[in-house]
C-alpha cells in the first residue's frame, strides 16, 4: 500500500516537476553557500569575504545534494499526505475566534511588556535618531508617512510627560499594540479556517516567547509595522483565493484590501513594488474582478503618490545612491580586481569617490555610499553616464558581476547562514562616532533606563541578548519555497498567491539590498512563517472537522 502510494506520487507530473525545480535551485544555493568565505565582518574587504575556487568535486556535491533533496522532499510530501497526519488537523471542539484573539492578545502583550521594561523606553538604530531629528529631511530615504508617525508619537509623549524617554515609550507601546492586534487577529483567523486549537495556541505562544519578536515590537524602525502589514495579507489573500476573487466584490473586501495596500506602500519604499506585483498576478488570476482591481490599483497609486509629490515640491527627493547599491558594488568589484583598464572609466568612478576600489566591501555598499568623500552631487548629475559604464562593464566582465551580486545578497539566499548585523537591537543610542547624534541624545537625555532590580535586570538582559536569533533570511525563503512545492503537490495552485507578498518583498530585496546581512529587511518571515508552514493543511482541518 505504502509502496503503491509512493509510485503514484512519482507518477504525478506536477509534483515531480515542482520537486525537481525546488531541488535543483536549493542544491545550487547550498553549493554557492559553501563556496563563499564569510569572515563574520560584513564590512570586510575582498581579502575577508570572497568566493573560493571551484574544484571538480563540486560537481559530485551538486549531484548528491540534488538527489538527496529530491528524495527528502518527495518523502515529506508523502508523509504529510498520510491519513494520520491529516487527522492531526481534526477539530472535534472549536473555540470561538474572539476568545482565541483575546487570550492570545493578553498573553503576548504581557510577555512583550517585560521586554519593554527591560529595555525601557525602547530600542532603535541611527535611522531612528535621524528621523527624530529631521523627519522631513530624511524622507528622501525613508517613507514620509512612517517618519510622521514615529515623530508624531515621540512628540506627543514628550509634550505630555515632559520627557524624551516618555516620547519614545509612547511609540514603543503603540507599535506593540498594533503588532499584537495583527498577530492575534491572524492566529484567531487561522483557527477559524481549520487549524486545531492546540496548534493555534502553539503559534500564538511562539510569538510571545520568541525574544526576536518582542525585540522588534519595541524597535523604532519601519520594518516591524511593514512586516505586520505583510502578515495581514495572509488572511486577506486566502479569502480572495477561497472565494475565487468574489471577496473583492464585497464592500468589506474592497475596503480592507485598499487599506492594507495603502498601509504597506506608505510604510516602506519597496511596498509599492510588492503592491504592483500582487495586482498584476491577481489581474490574470481572477478575470471576474479585473475592473475592480484596475480601479483600486489606480486609486491606491494616486493616494500613495501624494506624499512623494508634496515632498518633491519641497525639494526633498530620493537619492540615486540608495537605489543602485548592486550596480555600484558590481562596478567596484571590477575596479577592485584591477579590470577597470579604461582611464576615462577609472576617472569617472574616482569622481564619485577617490580610490573607489580601496573602499569596496563585497557585502556592504555603505563603505562606499556613506564615505565622507562620496560625491552624491556628481552621481546625481551623471546618472546616464553611470548606467552606461555599468552596462559596458557588464558586457566585459559578467563573471565578476555575478560574484559581486551573490556576495552583496549573500544573507538573503544562502542556506544555514546567520549574522546578527541589524538582526536585533538593544539600545536607542546606536550612534557610533557621529557627533551630531551624540550631541542630540545628550541634549534630549534620551537613554535606556533600568526599571527592574539589578539582579533581575541583568538576568533578563543576558537572556534576551543571547536568544534574539532566528533562521537566516535565506533559510526562511527556502522554507517558504518548500511550502510552495507542497501546495503544488496538493493541487492547491491558487493558494500559492498567499505566499506572493513575502516572495515579492524578497525579490525587491534581491534587486536593491545595500548589505548582505540585515535581517530587519526580512523580518516579515518571522511573523509569516508559522502561518505559511501550516497553510497546506488548513483545508484538511475543515474537511476533517465533519468527520470528528
Amino acid at each position: 500500500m505504502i509502496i503503491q502510494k509512493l509510485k503514484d506520487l512519482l507518477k504525478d507530473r506536477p509534483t515531480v516537476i515542482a520537486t525537481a525545480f525546488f531541488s535543483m535551485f536549493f542544491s545550487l544555493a547550498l553549493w554557492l553557500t559553501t563556496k563563499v568565505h564569510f569572515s563574520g565582518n560584513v564590512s570586510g574587504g575582498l581579502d575577508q569575504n570572497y568566493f573560493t575556487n571551484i574544484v571538480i568535486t563540486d560537481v559530485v556535491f551538486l549531484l548528491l545534494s540534488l538527489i538527496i533533496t529530491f528524495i527528502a522532499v518527495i518523502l515529506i510530501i508523502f508523509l504529510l499526505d498520510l491519513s494520520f497526519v491529516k487527522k492531526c488537523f481534526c477539530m472535534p471542539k472549536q473555540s470561538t475566534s474572539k476568545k482565541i484573539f483575546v487570550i492570545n492578545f493578553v498573553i503576548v502583550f504581557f510577555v512583550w511588556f517585560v521586554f519593554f521594561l527591560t529595555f525601557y523606553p525602547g530600542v532603535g538604530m541611527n535611522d531612528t535618531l535621524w528621523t527624530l531629528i529631521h523627519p522631513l529631511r530624511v524622507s528622501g530615504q525613508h517613507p514620509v508617512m512612517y517618519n510622521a508617525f514615529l515623530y508624531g508619537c515621540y512628540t506627543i509623549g514628550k509634550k505630555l510627560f515632559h520627557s524624551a524617554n516618555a516620547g519614545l515609550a509612547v511609540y514603543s507601546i503603540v507599535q506593540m499594540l498594533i503588532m499584537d492586534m495583527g498577530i492575534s487577529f491572524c492566529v484567531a483567523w487561522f483557527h477559524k479556517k481549520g487549524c486545531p486549537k492546540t496548534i493555534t495556541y502553539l503559534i500564538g505562544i511562539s510569538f510571545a516567547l520568541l525574544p526576536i519578536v518582542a525585540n522588534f515590537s519595541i524597535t523604532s524602525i519601519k520594518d516591524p509595522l511593514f512586516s505586520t502589514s505583510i502578515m495581514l495579507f495572509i488572511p486577506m489573500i486566502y479569502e480572495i483565493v477561497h472565494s475565487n476573487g468574489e471577496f473583492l466584490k464585497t464592500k468589506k473586501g474592497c475596503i480592507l484590501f485598499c487599506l492594507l495596500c495603502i498601509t504597506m506602500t506608505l510604510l516602506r519604499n519597496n511596498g509599492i513594488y510588492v503592491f504592483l506585483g500582487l495586482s498584476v498576478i491577481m489581474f490574470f488570476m481572477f478575470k471576474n474582478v479585473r475592473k475592480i482591481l484596475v480601479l483600486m490599483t489606480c486609486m491606491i497609486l494616486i493616494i500613495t503618490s501624494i506624499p512623494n509629490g508634496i515632498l518633491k515640491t519641497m525639494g526633498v527627493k530620493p537619492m540615486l545612491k540608495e537605489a543602485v547599491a548592486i550596480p555600484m558594488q558590481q562596478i567596484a568589484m571590477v575596479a577592485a580586481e584591477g579590470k577597470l583598464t579604461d582611464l576615462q572609466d577609472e576617472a569617472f568612478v574616482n569622481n564619485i569617490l577617490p580610490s573607489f576600489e580601496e573602499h569596496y566591501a563585497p557585502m556592504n555598499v555603505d563603505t562606499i555610499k556613506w564615505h565622507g568623500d562620496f560625491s552624491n552631487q556628481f552621481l546625481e548629475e551623471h546618472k546616464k553616464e553611470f548606467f552606461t559604464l555599468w552596462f559596458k562593464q557588464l558586457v566585459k566582465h559578467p563573471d565578476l558581476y555575478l560574484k559581486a551580486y551573490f556576495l552583496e545578497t549573500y544573507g538573503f539566499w544562502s542556506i544555514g547562514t546567520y549574522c546578527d548585523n541589524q538582526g536585533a537591537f538593544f539600545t536607542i543610542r546606536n550612534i557610533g562616532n557621529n557627533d551630531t547624534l551624540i550631541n542630540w541624545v545628550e541634549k534630549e537625555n534620551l537613554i535606556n533606563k533600568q526599571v527592574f532590580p539589578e539582579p533581575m535586570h541583568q538576568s533578563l538582559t543576558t537572556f534576551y541578548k543571547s536568544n534574539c536569533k532566528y533562521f537566516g533570511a535565506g533559510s526562511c525563503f527556502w522554507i517558504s519555497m518548500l511550502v510552495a512545492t507542497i501546495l503544488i503537490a496538493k493541487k492547491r495552485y491558487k493558494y500559492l498567491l498567499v505566499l506572493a507578498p513575502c516572495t515579492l518583498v524578497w525579490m525587491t530585496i534581491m534587486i536593491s539590498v545595500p548589505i548582505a546581512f540585515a535581517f530587519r529587511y526580512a523580518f516579515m518571515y518571522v511573523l509569516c512563517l508559522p502561518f505559511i508552514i501550516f497553510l497546506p493543511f488548513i483545508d484538511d482541518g475543515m474537511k476533517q472537522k465533519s468527520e470528528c
Side-chain angles (χ1 to χ4, degrees), residues 487-518:
L487 284 170
I488 293 172
K490 284 179 167 284
K491 306 298 183 291
R492 294 176 185 169
Y493 308 118
K494 286 189 175 182
Y495 290 97
L496 290 170
L497 185 64
V498 179
L499 306 182
C502 275
T503 306
L504 288 168
V505 172
W506 179 84
M507 290 172 67
T508 62
I509 292 171
M510 293 292 286
I511 291 171
S512 60
V513 66
I515 190 167
F517 287 95

Side-chain angles (χ1 to χ4, degrees), residues 38 47 98 107 128 154 179 208 240 246 248 256 273 363 365 378-379 418 491 512 547:
F38 173 50
D47 58 329
K98 184 177 179 180
I107 293 174
T128 307
Y154 174 78
M179 287 183 64
I240 293 172
E246 293 297 317
L248 286 177
L256 289 176
Y273 304 109
M363 293 186 175
V365 74
F378 181 85
L379 181 62
Y418 176 80
K491 306 298 183 291
S512 60
E547 300 173 9

Side-chain angles (χ1 to χ4, degrees), residues 48-192:
Q48 297 182 47
N49 303 320
Y50 53 87
F51 267 96
T52 58
N53 294 328
I54 297 175
V55 294
I56 190 65
T57 53
D58 290 339
V59 178
V60 178
F61 178 88
L62 266 171
L63 287 174
L64 282 175
S65 60
L66 174 62
I67 294 168
I68 293 171
T69 303
F70 183 87
I71 294 172
V73 174
I74 286 292
L75 287 175
I76 289 171
I77 293 170
F78 169 74
L79 291 172
L80 293 178
D81 200 44
L82 295 177
S83 57
F84 80 88
V85 175
K86 291 182 178 181
K87 285 180 181 178
C88 292
F89 282 81
C90 189
M91 302 190 313
K93 185 177 180 180
Q94 185 179 17
S95 300
T96 63
S97 57
K98 184 177 179 180
K99 180 181 177 182
I100 295 285
F101 175 89
V102 172
I103 293 174
N104 192 85
F105 180 87
V106 172
I107 293 174
V108 169
F109 187 80
F110 174 78
V111 177
W112 287 1
F113 200 73
V114 174
F115 189 97
F116 166 67
L117 293 178
T118 304
F119 297 96
Y120 177 86
V123 295
M125 57 184 294
N126 56 337
D127 289 349
T128 307
L129 300 176
W130 284 121
T131 300
L132 295 177
I133 298 171
H134 300 297
L136 187 61
R137 189 185 303 175
V138 300
S139 293
Q141 182 182 354
H142 307 291
V144 63
M145 297 307 293
Y146 172 77
N147 293 347
F149 179 62
L150 171 58
Y151 184 77
C153 288
Y154 174 78
T155 303
I156 290 170
K158 184 180 176 182
K159 287 187 176 180
L160 286 176
F161 303 101
H162 310 289
S163 164
N165 273 10
L168 189 67
V170 167
Y171 176 83
S172 298
I173 292 173
V174 170
Q175 181 169 275
M176 283 170 62
L177 290 170
I178 293 172
M179 287 183 64
D180 193 3
M181 284 190 288
I183 288 171
S184 299
F185 172 80
C186 288
V187 168
W189 170 85
F190 214 55
H191 177 66
K192 186 178 180 181

